Amino acid sequence: MCAVKGKSILKSLGFKSVIKNGSYVYGNFNSNRAIIKCVLVSKKTFVYTAVAGADVKLVERLRNEIAWKL
């Protein structure tokens, strides 16, 4: 369920080529790439997020928007 929500989040933010592969979700936003990884820890879900790209301000904004929507 976490990865499905992650896919929905990336699509809602305008990411393209969004792919869900098991517990991973990847997507591209212009020249930036985001990943959301869901891990089961002690019967709870732990979520990793990362955004990479050359424009630091845009990367920070995208990372924060993903985190807020989680």
Side-chain angles (χ1 to χ4, degrees):
M1 192 59 157
C2 174
V4 171
K5 182 171 181 172
K7 185 175 180 180
S8 174
I9 289 169
L10 293 184
K11 285 186 172 189
S12 75
L13 292 173
F15 279 79
K16 304 294 182 205
S17 302
V18 178
I19 298 170
K20 181 182 154 306
N21 185 0
S23 61
Y24 287 89
V25 180
Y26 305 89
N28 299 316
F29 187 93
N30 298 333
S31 61
N32 302 285
R33 182 127 171 117
I35 180 172
I36 299 173
K37 165 92 173 130
C38 304
V39 179
L40 187 62
V41 178
S42 299
K43 299 182 182 179
K44 295 184 180 185
T45 303
F46 187 83
V47 182
Y48 295 93
T49 63
V51 180
D55 183 343
V56 175
K57 292 292 183 190
L58 180 57
V59 167
E60 288 175 348
R61 185 180 63 80
L62 291 170
R63 179 202 62 210
N64 291 342
E65 287 187 28
I66 290 168
W68 290 326
K69 289 184 177 276
L70 286 168

